[in-house]
Amino acid sequence: MVPIKYSSVMPYFISKTFLALYLLLLFTFMLSPAAPVAAQTEATKPALNLGLRTHYGFIIPHSEAIREVSYSHPRALELDLSLHFTSEKAWQFLQGYPRLGASFSYINFDNPQVLGDAYTFILYVEPFLSAHRRFSLSFRFGAGLSYQSNVYDSISNPQNQFYSTKVAFPLTANLMGNYKLNDTWMLRAGGTYSHISNGGIRQPNKGINFPMATVGVDYALRPADFPERQQQTYSPQAPERYYLLALLGTGKDGRIDATEKFPLLGLTAYASQRVGRLSALAAGAEWVADYSIKDELDEKKEHTAFGRGALLAGHEFYIGRFRFNQMLGIYVYSPHKARDPVYQRWGLEYHTARGLYFGINLKAHRHVADFLDARVGWRFGAD
């Protein structure tokens, strides 16, 4: 059978589709009235903050292919704007006062000939513990889009195995200590971990991981008070378990010398059991037909099956009608052996009130992204 191939315009279309879906989900999360932290009255208007931070760190040499160009020290300058919510509803949702914000960063990777620079736009959520006190702790998780100035090229830049597309998808997490000087100024210091990759849209795509020390200052354009509130106990609501079925798909590069993308189609199903206000445990299975593997097998004139089946288990984090899930997969059927017998999945989903849900999901073997897929599915059971 002749391999199913996309036309030459499909790689561009698929990458733009993913970028649009990614932004749509993130902006919907920020603005959705279904998110408890979004609803505010005039008396509980959130604080509006402007922040400036500097970062300095190192690149983790997580693969031999990038070890020689990993010995540099990235530096970054970050500007962000955020809303810091103060209402009781926001407190009950996260048991802390959360910030929602957007940041723009310039990153110098200290190796212009190979790595160049990056510009990132991140949307983030950042719960604060003890925001009513002078000293507080906060944890941030964010995702967005980035632009890299000097990507891989087989002739002019073969050493850059980190990323091969100008546009990629950065993830960031940090832990910060915060000290209020007064009602408007706050000093901040801590550590930030960042990752940039294109989700397997094009190879090579080892991804660049760089932890950094972070210091900065925030200025409250609109100050707000943070009342001291007691921790709320979780009260289960029936039903607490639901079941999900989803179709997934994407386009994927084949062999290194292949110039076209190949379809990847799959089916996944799992059960989710809620165990706390924001948490659920999940387990299930998935089946994927990856036509890039078929192309590789056809090139070698091998007649091995190219489908793969796996069992999944992991955790779901509830954010209103959104779910952020982290899964570990174990192959139970893989005639053509994968890079590793296990893999990781990270997903972001939006669940409607009528049981339909949409999402994006990243699959990776350890430090190497395999593919980014879009999915649509149905939920049976709890809302």
Side-chain angles (χ1 to χ4, degrees), residues 268-270 282-286 310-314 327-330 343 345 375:
T268 185
Y270 64 91
E286 72 175 11
L311 297 178
L312 298 167
M327 298 279 193
L328 181 68
I330 302 176
Y343 59 90
R345 274 193 172 279
R375 51 185 59 197

Side-chain angles (χ1 to χ4, degrees), residues 38-49:
Q40 300 291 327
T41 67
E42 190 68 25
T44 58
K45 275 191 174 181
L48 179 63
N49 300 288

Side-chain angles (χ1 to χ4, degrees), residues 165-184:
T165 55
K166 290 285 188 180
V167 177
F169 311 102
L171 299 173
T172 185
N174 70 22
L175 177 66
M176 301 291 287
N178 314 290
Y179 185 80
K180 290 183 181 179
L181 296 176
N182 50 45
D183 289 341
T184 56

Side-chain angles (χ1 to χ4, degrees), residues 45-317:
K45 275 191 174 181
L48 179 63
N49 300 288
L50 183 66
L52 181 65
R53 273 167 281 288
T54 61
H55 308 264
Y56 182 81
F58 63 93
I59 297 172
I60 297 176
H62 57 262
S63 170
E64 287 298 325
I66 50 88
R67 187 171 296 276
E68 290 186 5
V69 293
S70 294
Y71 299 107
S72 62
H73 296 279
R75 300 180 294 274
L77 184 65
E78 175 189 4
L79 179 69
D80 80 44
L81 186 67
S82 64
L83 292 173
H84 200 159
F85 294 88
T86 66
S87 69
E88 183 177 1
K89 200 168 188 178
W91 168 266
Q92 290 176 352
F93 185 60
L94 288 175
Q95 298 297 280
Y97 291 111
R99 280 191 182 186
L100 294 179
S103 70
F104 177 79
S105 298
Y106 164 72
I107 305 170
N108 182 330
F109 288 114
D110 194 30
N111 189 343
Q113 291 77 19
V114 177
L115 302 180
D117 304 321
Y119 302 85
T120 68
F121 176 73
I122 298 285
L123 299 176
Y124 66 83
V125 58
E126 184 177 14
F128 274 63
L129 304 178
S130 301
H132 60 286
R133 300 184 185 277
R134 186 172 291 274
F135 178 80
S136 62
L137 291 174
S138 62
F139 176 80
R140 175 183 297 188
F141 174 79
L145 298 173
S146 64
Y147 174 85
Q148 290 72 235
S149 65
N150 195 19
V151 302
Y152 167 85
D153 185 275
S154 59
I155 297 175
S156 63
N157 193 18
Q159 286 186 291
N160 188 354
Q161 299 285 312
F162 289 104
Y163 38 76
S164 55
T165 55
K166 290 285 188 180
V167 177
F169 311 102
L171 299 173
T172 185
N174 70 22
L175 177 66
M176 301 291 287
N178 314 290
Y179 185 80
K180 290 183 181 179
L181 296 176
N182 50 45
D183 289 341
T184 56
W185 291 98
M186 181 166 67
L187 300 178
R188 312 192 67 188
T192 300
Y193 185 90
S194 298
H195 168 81
I196 299 176
S197 75
N198 65 31
I201 291 175
R202 185 178 300 165
Q203 299 296 330
N205 180 49
K206 298 295 185 183
I208 185 166
N209 302 292
F210 49 107
M212 296 183 288
T214 301
V215 295
V217 61
D218 279 5
Y219 176 75
L221 300 171
R222 183 175 63 214
D225 293 327
F226 297 89
E228 183 175 3
R229 291 189 167 98
Q230 297 299 316
Q231 293 284 335
Q232 302 290 319
T233 58
Y234 170 62
S235 299
Q237 298 176 358
E240 290 294 306
R241 179 183 300 168
Y242 61 83
Y243 305 90
L244 301 102
L245 179 67
L247 300 172
L248 62 94
T250 187
K252 186 181 174 186
D253 279 346
R255 295 167 283 111
I256 295 296
D257 58 346
T259 58
E260 299 185 35
K261 284 189 178 288
F262 298 84
L264 181 148
L265 304 171
L267 177 70
T268 185
Y270 64 91
S272 177
Q273 174 65 54
R274 195 163 182 176
V275 294
R277 183 184 301 275
L278 304 177
S279 295
L281 299 179
E286 72 175 11
W287 175 270
V288 171
D290 184 346
Y291 283 86
S292 70
I293 296 177
K294 177 172 174 52
D295 176 63
E296 179 184 341
L297 294 172
D298 288 347
E299 177 71 14
K300 297 178 180 177
K301 301 189 183 305
E302 297 181 11
H303 301 287
T304 307
F306 61 93
R308 287 174 177 165
L311 297 178
L312 298 167
H315 173 266
E316 289 192 301
F317 180 60

